[in-house]
Amino acid sequence: MLSTAFSERCCNYVVTSISRYNGLKKISGGEILPLSDSACKAAKAQPKAYRLTDGHGLYLLVQPNGSKLWQLIYRFQGSKQRTLSMGKYPIVSLADAREIRTKALNGLAHGRDPAEAKKGVVPDGATFEHVASEWHAVWKVGKTAAHAERVWARLKRDGFTEIGSKDIRSITSADILRMVRKVEARGNIDTSKRLKSDVSNVFQFAIPDGKASIDPTHGLNRALKAKPKVRHHAALSPAGLGELTLQIDHYDGETVTRLGLQFTLLTAVRTKETRFMRWEEIDGAMWRIPPERMKMKRPHIVPLSKQALEVLAEVRKLSRGDLVFSTDDTAMSENTMLFALYRMGYHGKQTVHGLRTLFSTIANEKGWNADWIEMQLAHDEEDDSREAYNAAEYLPGRTEMLQWWADYVDGERYKAVIG
């Protein structure tokens, strides 16, 4: 049954004078006795049509020919009494009819006419495209114009053609998956993941003010096609992460080398970026890498987890110059960390660059935002122009993600210790 509180909220909409209808039963105190399925089955045709009432405007109309129809009576914004037909019993069960009634009353409480909703008429401002435009107007503030335009073009091309005209509340996970599948079918796996992320952002924007109640993109990661793997750098499977962290922790070579490996694992940066890291680039809990040291020649910001900051505090005691991972202010050799992994027994199994692969694989498997992951890895595969890149983009989300990653690494280390 609908809750008393919900009924009271909808009392301005539902016809309350239903006690005059035939077939109405009451229990002590005047409360309407809900129908049972057995009562619906047992209802026999009579010379005149009559109604078996379930409450809150819902009744079963039994016609002289024996046909049984579900109907709902209501008023919309002060209008005359209206009737919503809901289908034949038993094709539409009692439970189905009650669920339809609940949705209809919920729509009324939010200013939507159930009859119009049934016809597929979407209220102004409720389509996915309209809400997406509102989200984009807010989201693009602080973004580069080129990047904002690229995201909007992706939604227009691949999103709005499929779900743009739909009521945002009616969009299901299946709708999103069909949309993404069409992009995957073109071979654009990266674009399909970005599109799913864009759509998720729209729903996350819509939920707080009641324009949507859920994000139907959640749980779709396992249903999406994986990006074809190009294994240039050896990397362990996620199951090997715990043992790897223990091997690094107990490395018997140079302490700076061990700390460099730990820091690289925690930040998912390239080997070169760790080797040439300078103290002046650290800004509180952020590491600001200048463009000349990045592969894509763009500035990059790396959020530093608590564990990464602890590594820096330890290496600070050993550092003797501007370079972080150096005891004599000369850069660590290109292969120092790689050869350390070889000494641990990982030759052909794990490279330093492969630590990035481990992070990417696990973060994607755990459902983190694909754009956050790609930005953290300093990838920008869709558009290589400087104007489309914003080093601070997704920074709050990436900060949360890297702290999660550091905690996850600690957890895998603990599992390896206890066996």
Side-chain angles (χ1 to χ4, degrees), residues 257 271 275-276 325 330-339:
T257 304
T271 304
R275 290 171 52 226
F276 291 96
F325 293 96
T330 59
M332 184 187 297
S333 172
E334 180 178 0
N335 292 318
T336 296
M337 291 190 288
L338 178 63
F339 289 162

Side-chain angles (χ1 to χ4, degrees), residues 19 24 74 214 273 288 395:
S19 59
L24 177 65
Y74 67 96
I214 62 169
E273 291 151 13
R288 301 179 183 275
L395 198 52

Side-chain angles (χ1 to χ4, degrees), residues 222 229 231 234-246 265 346 349-350 354-367 404-405 408-416:
R222 293 183 183 277
K229 294 182 179 179
R231 296 289 295 273
L236 297 170
S237 70
L241 174 60
E243 181 61 29
L244 173 63
T245 60
L246 288 183
L265 173 62
Y346 288 106
K349 301 176 183 178
Q350 177 69 54
L355 298 176
R356 289 160 55 82
T357 304
L358 264 177
F359 161 74
S360 177
T361 299
I362 295 172
N364 276 294
E365 286 181 353
K366 298 300 182 181
W404 164 83
W405 170 241
Y408 182 86
V409 170
D410 282 349
E412 293 301 295
R413 176 188 289 110
Y414 177 73
K415 291 178 186 177

